[in-house]
Amino acid sequence: MNEIKINDSVLQNAVKSGMDEFVNVFYNAILEHYGGQITESMMNNVNSDQMTLVVFRVLHDEVMDGGFVQLIYNGYGPFVFFNPFAKAVRGWGLEDLAALVNKAGKLFRKYGREIQMERTDEEFMAMFEKYPEFDDLDDKFVENEERWVAEIAAYIDEHINDFAQITEE
């Protein structure tokens, strides 16, 4: 049985608020269950769908805020690119997201060590010009974000018991 629990009234309110909030309810429930942080313990105990959602949320938040360069600089490159995330979202029907992640993963393997080096704010901002190969990937993510969130919400809805147990409490 799924350890992650979501109250049905919370879920219904999220549904009324839209796709983003619906997806966030599941992500937040998973994170809260494991103490509010992504930890090794969490990664060892969630199922593959839950883990895929957690990785997507990290990817989403980082890329929407500062692109793939920021995601890599903040240390999330291995978390996103060195696990079966792309394969998992392909299995969810998000072929183009999987392809985008694979392209970004190739750039991570090429530039990751350099991007992850400690920098001042000014040096960090200069990286966006130094690594223009990420620009198209960032743009494609932003352009498709709303559709991908909607597709993920639909996947969660169709496989809800794989993400959480809905309770009346």
Side-chain angles (χ1 to χ4, degrees), residues 78-98:
F79 185 63
V80 173
F81 304 120
F82 292 166
N83 76 47
F85 174 72
K87 182 178 178 182
V89 293
R90 182 171 281 116
W92 289 8
L94 287 87
E95 295 281 338
D96 51 348
L97 176 58

Side-chain angles (χ1 to χ4, degrees), residues 49 91-94 150-160 162-163:
D49 279 338
W92 289 8
L94 287 87
E151 290 175 12
I152 288 170
Y155 183 88
I156 291 170
D157 191 43
E158 292 168 11
H159 302 88
I160 206 158
D162 294 333
F163 290 91

Side-chain angles (χ1 to χ4, degrees), residues 59-127:
L59 170 71
H60 175 275
D61 290 354
E62 291 293 320
V63 173
M64 292 300 288
D65 188 49
F68 282 99
V69 169
Q70 177 177 302
L71 178 138
I72 294 166
Y73 180 74
N74 285 340
Y76 292 113
F79 185 63
V80 173
F81 304 120
F82 292 166
N83 76 47
F85 174 72
K87 182 178 178 182
V89 293
R90 182 171 281 116
W92 289 8
L94 287 87
E95 295 281 338
D96 51 348
L97 176 58
L100 181 75
V101 169
N102 286 332
K103 287 178 186 172
K106 287 178 185 167
L107 293 176
F108 170 69
R109 286 168 182 79
K110 185 175 181 180
Y111 301 118
R113 281 200 170 103
E114 189 176 328
I115 291 172
Q116 293 177 86
M117 293 173 55
E118 190 73 29
R119 300 176 186 279
T120 65
D121 288 345
E122 192 174 292
E123 291 168 333
F124 171 76
M125 295 308 289
M127 285 196 300

Side-chain angles (χ1 to χ4, degrees), residues 44-58:
N44 290 333
N45 288 294
V46 294
N47 67 38
S48 61
D49 279 338
Q50 292 166 333
M51 190 73 233
T52 300
L53 177 60
V54 169
V55 176
F56 174 76
R57 177 65 185 272
V58 168

